[in-house]
Amino acid sequence: MAGGEHQEETGPASRKHRLPSLNEVLSRKTRPPVDLYMFYLFLQREGSEDILDFWLDVHQHEQYCRAYFKDVRKSGRTIKEDWPEYWDYARRRGSIYGTVVGVNGGRRNTANAGDVFGDTGAQDEKAARSPSPNPNPRVSMTPGTAIAADAPRSSTPFSLSGRTPAFLNVHGATRAPTVIPRTKPMTRQDLIESAERIYFRYLSPAGTIGSDNNHEVYLPPSLRIHSFPLSSAHEPRTQNELNLMAQIPDMFHAQKEYVFHAMEQDAFPRFLRAKAFSNLTPVSALVRLILGLVILWIGLAVGFSLIFLNVHPKSKRFFLFLPYTVAILFLISHQYELDPILILFNQSESIPFQLVSIEEPYVKKLLVGRALWVAALTAGCTVALTMIFWAVPGYRL
């Protein structure tokens, strides 16, 4: 299965000897420092958090659709009676909600975005476009204004495409995106509004009136959706609009699967390397590099001074291990992006200089092992450097 709905053994007990999967992280089944919140902060640092936002919003949209179908069944009506256009579409094309609505045994819809709303190109030239659901004032879209001729597009799902990475953002995000709880029965207009918001926030091509270009998510040409001919401002009236509305529940599933695999193959492995094998952010590691170089320079200056002033007793040179230890610890911590002192207190950085407890068992085991290696390497380099400066004969200039 794709799209993050894989069936697998989950839970802390199943992850004692392995790292979590992307599906487990997205399902909020993991704990810091490899939970959804930390993954969101990691993507935000790279300026790619819109990829995750898109997946979460589509997942929420699909949950809304499932909730609508369940509400219909609880009312005693069948989907065929309540929404005949969708029933006919699902029966002919298949649907990801097949097990909920009782169609085709749950067979997934394999149609791509070219099939969803794919036959509306000519109709779009005759119909007004839907208003934008953005906080900006709503603007009615007229034919010919949807797509700019030379609109720039991203070339990869994780291209920054004009976004600014939060590399130097010390404060970062205050929270990861969460699923909004449902407080009332879902209606078809709610589903249209949800799909409309997703389209204009993430899929509307650059240059489209009402689109938010800063959040556009790259998709290959076969999965792009170039228009959204429905509007949440009024209910569909014509038969053509009713037929289009029947495609709303399955509208973004192929795009969701593509984004899931893009994260799984690109960003998620880097996230695991950053959080399961290290506990520092790049900013914090950079600060350690600068401090390490400064302290090492001070230590070397003092060491050479003791040699060339021929200070006695010679044992005073052993005190050089103090600046050397701190300097080498900072430099090796920068190299590995891992601070063994923080590991001693079971801590990892979420954003620069802000800590979270390490709760994922296997990650804790990995970090403790690497922390011991960093500590041993620091001790070895410190002893070697201290002994070199102690063994050199004094010579007063």
Side-chain angles (χ1 to χ4, degrees), residues 253-316:
H253 188 70
Q255 291 81 355
K256 178 189 175 188
E257 288 184 327
Y258 174 81
V259 166
F260 177 87
H261 289 301
M263 289 191 294
E264 188 176 45
Q265 296 171 12
D266 187 351
F268 189 66
R270 288 186 284 109
F271 167 69
L272 290 181
R273 284 195 297 270
K275 296 303 177 183
F277 297 94
S278 60
N279 67 338
L280 298 178
T281 58
V283 171
S284 182
L286 180 61
V287 170
R288 281 168 170 77
L289 173 63
I290 296 172
L291 291 177
L293 292 175
V294 171
I295 296 172
L296 180 61
W297 180 84
I298 294 173
L300 293 176
V302 173
F304 282 112
S305 298
L306 293 176
I307 292 173
F308 293 117
L309 291 176
N310 197 19
V311 175
H312 292 285
K314 195 175 181 180
S315 59
K316 289 183 178 180

